Amino acid sequence: MKIENVEQAETILELVKSNYFAKLKPENKKDHSFTIPLKVSGYNELNLMVSDLLKASIVLLNPEASSLSIITEYKNINVMTLLEIALQLLPEEEMELLDDLHKIHLKME
């Protein structure tokens, strides 16, 4: 049993050493902060993204906002931009690591 645990621990260490943790880029080692890459085509797209995030936040904080269709119809919020930001922020490589760790867990049962 101990040998199996050592082998599983070694497998986990090898997985962690691979390039799975790719989404967060270290920025400052003192306070352990990270940056997340966000691709934009230029300043105009960046401005539109930030503007849409702010508009959505303002409208959603409004207690009179009753449904998303009304919000987008009258407040000119580009939901596609918000969805694109969310897609870029998803940690795909890290999810692959979780899948591999889950497989190891299933073998242990």
Side-chain angles (χ1 to χ4, degrees):
M1 183 69 167
K2 288 183 180 182
I3 293 173
E4 286 179 20
N5 289 340
V6 169
E7 290 173 357
Q8 291 168 345
E10 289 174 352
T11 303
I12 291 170
L13 285 174
E14 288 301 316
L15 287 172
V16 172
K17 288 179 184 177
S18 63
N19 291 328
Y20 281 112
F21 295 109
K23 184 59 75 177
L24 298 178
K25 307 293 182 197
E27 183 179 85
N28 187 341
K29 292 187 179 192
K30 291 180 181 177
D31 67 357
H32 303 288
S33 61
F34 300 90
T35 59
I36 298 174
L38 188 64
K39 294 179 184 176
V40 294
S41 62
Y43 284 103
N44 189 48
E45 184 180 4
L46 176 60
N47 185 57
L48 291 172
M49 282 181 170
V50 173
S51 176
D52 287 336
L53 284 169
L54 291 171
K55 285 186 225 174
S57 299
I58 290 167
V59 170
L60 294 173
L61 287 171
N62 182 351
E64 296 173 7
S66 59
S67 74
L68 186 60
S69 61
I70 291 172
I71 292 169
T72 55
E73 182 179 343
Y74 296 108
K75 299 297 182 181
N76 194 28
I77 297 169
N78 188 345
V79 177
M80 286 297 292
T81 302
L82 302 177
L83 295 172
E84 288 171 1
I85 293 169
L87 278 174
Q88 289 185 43
L89 296 176
L90 285 173
E92 296 173 20
E93 291 83 5
E94 289 82 347
M95 293 300 115
E96 291 176 18
L97 173 62
L98 288 177
D99 281 341
D100 289 343
L101 292 173
H102 186 247
K103 290 175 190 173
I104 292 170
H105 169 72
L106 293 175
K107 288 179 185 177
M108 291 173 58
E109 291 181 342

